[in-house]
Structures are given as structure tokens and as C-alpha cells.
Amino acid sequence: MFQSFSATTTPDQGPPRLAALRAEMAAEELAGFLVPRADAHQGEYVAPRDDRLAWLTGFTGSAGFCIALAGTAGIFIDGRYTLQVRAQVDNGAFTPVPWPKTQPGPWLREALPTGVIGFDPWLHTNAEIARLEASLGDALSLRRTDNLIDRIWPDQPAPPQGAVIVHPDSLAGRSSAEKRRSLAQHLTESGAKSVVLTLPDSLCWLLNIRGADIPRNPVVHAFAVLHDDASCDLFIDPAKLDDDLRAHLGPEIRCHPPHDLAAALGALAGPVQVDPNTAPVAIFDLMAAQDTPVIEADDPCILPKACKTAAEIAGTTEAHLRDGAAVVEFLTWFSGQNPAELTEIDVVMALEAARQATGALRDISFETICGTGPNGAIVHYRVTEGTNRRITPGDLLLIDSGGQYADGTTDITRTLATGTPPEGARAAFTRVLQGMIAISRARWPKGLAGRDLDALARAPLWMAGQDYDHGTGHGVGTYLCVHEGPQRLSRISEVPLESGMILSNEPGYYREGAFGIRLENLVVVTQADPPEGGDPQREMLRFDTLTYVPLETALIDTAMLSQAEIDWIDTYHAETRQRLRDRLTPEARRWLDRATRPL
């Protein structure tokens, strides 16, 4: 069993830990200290050793930060975590702050007339600190310090030591040498001699390797410097490498222990390309100490990693069909149970067992979100033994889950009925479904970004005065992170969508204290043939669906749908039958036939 159900934090732990932090702040003559959810590699996910925000506050969400002052401690969270943060932190010690609506600079100016705020330069990006400094005014300032949380965390876990494995070129579609040569050419064209890489998934993509340093994400903790001759210096714990991995890396990849990084950066002649949005302040400090010329530019791996090769798309297509069949086997099992005899944990265990039965599951791609009734309204709910709720007939059951396979990463959400739905639930479900269909059917001119499409998914909800406080879709890797940039379907995403990008399509609706609804398929951007009468000179894009699992027709109000929407559902269900039936047990095939009858 990959998922556990123990609570890793409790609200009562926060106040004494906050008091200990304040004592360290006073000893350092600091008026405040920044506690991000970040590590030195600046990826979205952190190892247990680096989960300082959760240790201090009790909040376990995947985004947020705390600013601890002598008299108050603000915990900044976005709309996904409004309910979760209330349950997980001591609200007498920590004050939830809606972010990004409230920015840290203005909040600090109001909360603190004057003083010095400490921060660990390895845990904040250069761009982040520059923005904060620019917003503080003259009375407040920032100061680099070692990490005060590490001083007071007596049983802090050790750094992760996951083994590194080879990711085959046949699944990657391009060798590491090809990727390095392509990026080296771009370095030369930009005038840079080398580029510093900090993001774990960038390193794994570039070198065609995978690791085990982050739970649920097959990435490795390391730093790298790629040079304009396509060679690379990799700074990694040598205990993570075996002979096969070293042979895969080859002579152009020179391996060094992590403690050699500072000296190596200081010795670079420059200009050196560094991403201010992903590299920590400490990297820039090391460059500045040697007066090394720096070119600020995006991590060069991010965009080519997002645009999947034909081999990656073929691999993840297979992974999604395998995973879809496993989910159908689970849904077949669920349909034969008495929901009143099941708890959320029972459901999570059965779903993971169905994926394990494929014989190909490497890990789940994130902690399964399984919320029944009011728990479904907590967007990133994680069931524990303390919160485990028995399903009440009539509850909606929201299940958001995924698997990590060698050939792909999956992420799917379905909302199920367990009896007569609550008042308003069918109408809300149908509006969410209409939003998902709108994204699935969209065609758009090349050059548009996620922000240009996001409203398509929200429009049916808006017409009813409803909405959801999360993006419509995130990028997804291939046997990498289930959240991957730069592509997003979001009001704030300015990155143009390009062929080969994989995204989630997941509108939702959440009624606090009652139910949550979310539907999610993964889709891949592809070229669209011009329709009859269209402009053949205008390049158009569309989405191809990767996820094939039936929708809960008991929750669909067909009277609200257009004929085009009904046709889409019937076609999707027909394709689901055709793609999955040969992968299913006889019982599951019979269930699938019933579940996908034409509307």
C-alpha cells in the first residue's frame, strides 16, 4: 500500500514550535522570519526533511508560506486550501491570509512598522526576494540567515537517499546527448557559456534518469551545470549512483559531491545563465561573490520538457488505457457494494489495489483525494484515520487519483452518486460537465495561452452564479511530476499552448458543508485540421483526450445539455468501451456496457 492514513501533523504542535522559533528570532535580533514550503531545488514538492512549513504550522497543503513575527504569524494560502487550513492549524497561533489576493509586502507593512525579516537564501528564488524587497518600503528590510527552523527541529529527517535509475531512450523519445546538444546550441546563441539547473524534474528530463527523493514523484535531488559544449557537471550524492547509472550518464556527465557546488560555481567564467524564477538566492550570491556575469533567463529545460515527443505521447497513451481499465475494475467493484458499509479509506484502498493489480504501478502520482459529503468540498482533502468518514447514502463521493507508471503519469477525477443526490447537486454536476466538454471540444489559433481558454470551463457555472477557486488545468509530466509547468489552464497563465503539452481538464464546484464536484480528464495539445470553410493559413490547435473512464450518468441532467454536448458524451463513452473492453474482466465489461449506454 503506497498511501498511508496517519495524520502527520496536529494543530496543538504549532504554538510551542512557534514559540521556539520566536526565541531564535529574538536571539538573531530579527523581527520576523519567512517559512516557505520549498527546498533548495525549488520544485513544487518537498521531501520530509524540507517540509518545514508543515512541521511549524500543521498545514500540509502543496502551496503556501508563513511569515512569523513576534506578535502574529500569517499563513498565506490560496483558495484551494481555505477549508483545509482551518482544520490543520491552531487558529490562535496562526492567522490564515488569502493569497495572492493579499501580498506579503503590504501585509508586512501593516503588521510591522519597522524591523528586519530573516530568510534562508537557499529556500527562496531570486525573483521572489526581489519582488518582496521592492514592496517593503524604507522601514523594513530582509536579511539572509541560516535556517531557524532547522535549529529547533530536533528529529528532522535525514536528506533523501533515493536510488537513481535509467529512463530508457525508447520511452523518452530523445537521448540525453541529443537534448544536451540542443540546449547547448541555444546557450551559444544567447551568449552564455553555461547554465545552472536546479529543478529536479529538469535534471531528470535532461539526463533521462528518474529518482526517488520526493514522495510520489520519481525525481532526484541534485544540481547541474550544463556547458556550451554539451557536457555537464552533476552535483549529486554518489551513494545514489550505481555502475549502470554511471555507464548511462557517460563521460560527458562529470559527477561531483554536492558540497563541491559552491566552489564550482565560483570558478565559472561566465556569462552563466540562471533562472531567477526557479534558482535560489544563494546561487546568485555565489555568482556575485566572484563577479561572474549572469544572464537571467528561463530554465531551458522547461519548455522542451513540456512538449512531449511522439514516444512520450505513445507511452502515456498506453499508461492511461492501463490506468483507465484499473479504474473501471474499481468502479465495477464499487457498484456491487453497499455504500453505507464503506468508508473513505476503504475506497482508497480498493482503488489502489486495482492499480496494483496491473503489475505495472510504480507508485501513486499523489495522495488519493477521496471525500464523501462535506469532505468532498475540501479541494485537496487527504483522508486520515481521524477524518475517515463513512459514506452516507445520498452523499456525493469525489475521488481524485492517479498512478505513476514507467511509461506515463495519470491523474483522473470522478464524482459518484451513492443514492438520491443532494438538492442542487445534479444541476451543479451538469454545469461542471459542460465546462469539461467545452475544453475538450475547443479549437483555438496557435499562440493563445491557458488564460484564453480558462473561461470556457467556467462559463456554465458563471451563468448560475457559481465558480471554483482553482485553475482549470495543470501541466502533467510523463513518469515525472503530476504537476508540471509551464503550461496551465488558468486565469493567470500567459504561456502559449503548444503541440505535445499534456494538461488536466478539471473544472469543479464545491458547496461547503455539503458536497464537492470535480471532473478531470487529461488531454494533450495537438494540431487541428482546418474545418470546412476555415482559413487554411491559420494554424489551429485542439485537445486530444488521454483519459477514458465513464462519467456518472446518474448525476447528469440531460435537459440542461445541448445536442452537441449529448453527442460528445455518447461519443466519449463509445470510445471508452472500444478502447478498454479487451483489457477488462468479463464482469467489468458488463458494467462498462451499462455505464456507457447512450444518453
Side-chain angles (χ1 to χ4, degrees):
M1 188 80 194
F2 288 114
Q3 185 151 339
S4 67
F5 304 101
S6 58
T8 56
T9 66
T10 57
D12 62 290
Q13 295 171 329
R17 293 172 179 178
L18 180 59
L21 173 60
R22 285 172 168 157
E24 292 296 325
M25 289 161 46
E28 293 291 334
E29 298 183 339
L30 294 172
F33 188 70
L34 307 181
V35 184
R37 188 183 187 276
D39 59 27
H41 305 277
Q42 295 300 322
E44 179 179 350
Y45 305 95
V46 296
R49 174 183 180 79
D50 298 305
D51 209 354
R52 297 174 180 88
L53 181 65
W55 182 85
L56 175 68
T57 68
F59 172 64
T60 62
S62 63
F65 57 94
C66 177
I67 303 180
L69 307 178
T72 188
I75 179 163
F76 290 68
I77 45 88
D78 63 42
R80 295 172 294 174
Y81 299 111
T82 303
L83 301 182
Q84 180 176 334
V85 74
R86 292 183 207 160
Q88 289 190 318
V89 309
D90 184 303
N91 289 283
F94 299 96
T95 302
V97 180
W99 171 75
K101 178 182 178 181
T102 301
Q103 289 293 313
W107 183 87
L108 274 168
R109 291 200 308 271
E110 183 175 340
L112 190 66
T114 184
V116 178
I117 312 299
F119 73 96
D120 182 342
W122 283 103
L123 301 187
H124 300 268
T125 69
N126 210 52
E128 173 195 353
I129 292 301
R131 286 192 300 270
L132 182 54
E133 286 182 322
S135 67
L136 287 180
D138 297 331
L140 298 172
S141 62
L142 300 179
R143 190 176 87 203
R144 294 156 174 78
T145 180
D146 64 340
N147 199 287
L148 303 189
I149 298 294
D150 294 353
R151 293 186 191 177
I152 62 173
W153 190 348
D155 56 349
Q156 185 176 22
Q161 293 287 320
V164 182
I165 62 172
V166 175
H167 186 62
D169 291 357
S170 59
L171 290 176
R174 297 173 69 195
S175 70
S176 172
E178 289 177 280
K179 296 176 183 179
R180 286 184 282 109
R181 285 195 296 267
S182 176
L183 296 191
Q185 181 178 344
H186 288 296
L187 286 178
T188 300
E189 293 170 354
S190 68
K193 292 291 185 182
S194 55
V195 58
V196 178
L197 302 174
T198 66
L199 291 174
D201 56 336
S202 288
L203 291 175
C204 288
W205 173 84
L206 179 64
L207 302 180
N208 283 354
I209 59 176
R210 297 295 186 265
D213 284 340
I214 299 290
R216 314 300 174 228
N217 297 275
V219 296
V220 59
H221 275 172
F223 294 97
V225 179
L226 175 67
H227 302 280
D228 60 359
D229 64 355
S231 69
C232 184
D233 288 291
L234 179 63
F235 299 87
I236 185 170
D237 189 329
K240 298 178 182 180
L241 308 178
D242 61 18
D243 291 342
D244 289 342
L245 199 287
R246 290 179 184 274
H248 164 75
L249 293 176
E252 291 187 323
I253 311 297
R254 298 174 291 271
C255 296
H256 314 273
H259 57 71
D260 286 353
L261 176 65
L265 293 178
L268 293 175
V272 179
Q273 181 174 319
V274 191
D275 187 345
N277 296 303
T278 61
V281 170
I283 296 290
F284 286 85
D285 288 348
L286 290 167
M287 299 290 182
Q290 299 298 322
D291 293 323
T292 304
V294 169
I295 297 174
E296 293 191 359
D298 291 343
D299 178 330
C301 300
I302 289 179
L303 188 56
K305 171 170 57 68
C307 298
K308 308 301 184 241
T309 64
E312 287 175 317
I313 293 173
T316 203
T317 297
E318 173 60 25
H320 279 79
L321 294 176
R322 181 190 310 120
D323 193 75
V327 175
V328 168
E329 294 286 356
F330 157 76
L331 291 172
T332 302
W333 168 85
F334 183 78
S335 70
Q337 306 300 306
N338 177 359
E341 296 178 357
L342 297 175
T343 67
E344 294 165 337
I345 288 179
D346 294 331
V347 171
V348 173
M349 292 178 66
L351 178 53
E352 186 172 318
R355 286 192 166 102
Q356 289 274 20
T358 66
L361 186 69
R362 297 281 182 91
D363 200 344
I364 52 177
S365 55
F366 55 95
E367 299 288 301
T368 297
I369 298 166
C370 179
T372 182
N375 286 345
I378 303 171
V379 177
H380 279 193
Y381 171 71
R382 173 183 173 269
V383 58
T384 67
E385 292 160 351
T387 66
N388 187 28
R389 190 171 188 271
R390 187 171 295 279
I391 299 172
T392 300
D395 279 352
L396 298 189
L397 178 63
L398 188 156
I399 309 171
D400 186 348
S401 68
Q404 290 283 12
Y405 304 92
D407 48 2
T409 300
T410 70
D411 184 1
I412 173 177
T413 308
R414 289 295 184 264
T415 303
L416 308 179
T418 63
T420 302
E423 179 71 24
R426 290 184 75 235
F429 180 95
T430 305
R431 294 185 192 104
V432 171
L433 175 57
Q434 287 176 306
M436 190 179 82
I437 293 171
I439 293 292
S440 301
R441 297 180 64 221
R443 287 172 178 256
W444 65 94
K446 184 177 181 180
L448 297 190
R451 69 179 182 185
D452 301 309
L453 302 183
D454 179 80
L456 296 177
R458 299 178 190 272
L461 289 163
W462 287 347
M463 294 299 290
Q466 299 170 339
D467 201 358
Y468 48 95
D469 293 325
H470 56 77
T472 297
H474 55 83
V476 180
T478 48
Y479 193 39
L480 271 176
C481 298
V482 74
H483 285 178
E484 177 183 88
Q487 71 275 25
R488 296 170 67 185
L489 292 172
S490 163
R491 293 164 174 160
I492 62 173
S493 178
E494 299 180 351
V495 176
L497 299 176
E498 298 188 25
S499 289
M501 289 180 169
I502 298 173
L503 300 103
S504 65
N505 172 12
E506 51 176 317
Y509 175 70
Y510 310 92
R511 185 171 294 175
E512 184 177 352
F515 59 79
I517 296 166
R518 187 160 64 251
L519 295 173
E520 177 185 20
N521 284 346
L522 296 195
V523 294
V524 59
V525 180
T526 189
Q527 297 292 123
D529 295 330
E532 185 176 351
D535 183 355
Q537 305 305 315
R538 188 179 299 278
E539 190 172 354
M540 303 290 289
L541 299 174
R542 61 180 172 85
F543 291 121
D544 279 348
T545 298
L546 293 170
T547 307
Y548 285 94
V549 169
L551 301 159
E552 178 66 278
T553 55
L555 289 173
I556 299 175
D557 184 347
T558 55
M560 296 173 60
L561 300 177
S562 68
Q563 188 58 51
E565 290 167 334
I566 291 173
D567 291 345
W568 185 91
I569 295 168
D570 286 345
T571 299
Y572 176 75
H573 278 162
E575 290 182 1
T576 300
R577 286 195 305 275
Q578 186 269 324
R579 292 169 187 260
L580 296 187
R581 62 180 300 104
D582 290 345
R583 300 169 179 264
L584 300 172
T585 60
E587 182 184 2
R589 282 198 293 271
R590 289 190 291 271
W591 179 88
L592 180 63
D593 287 341
R594 294 192 299 271
T596 58
R597 292 190 190 111
L599 293 182

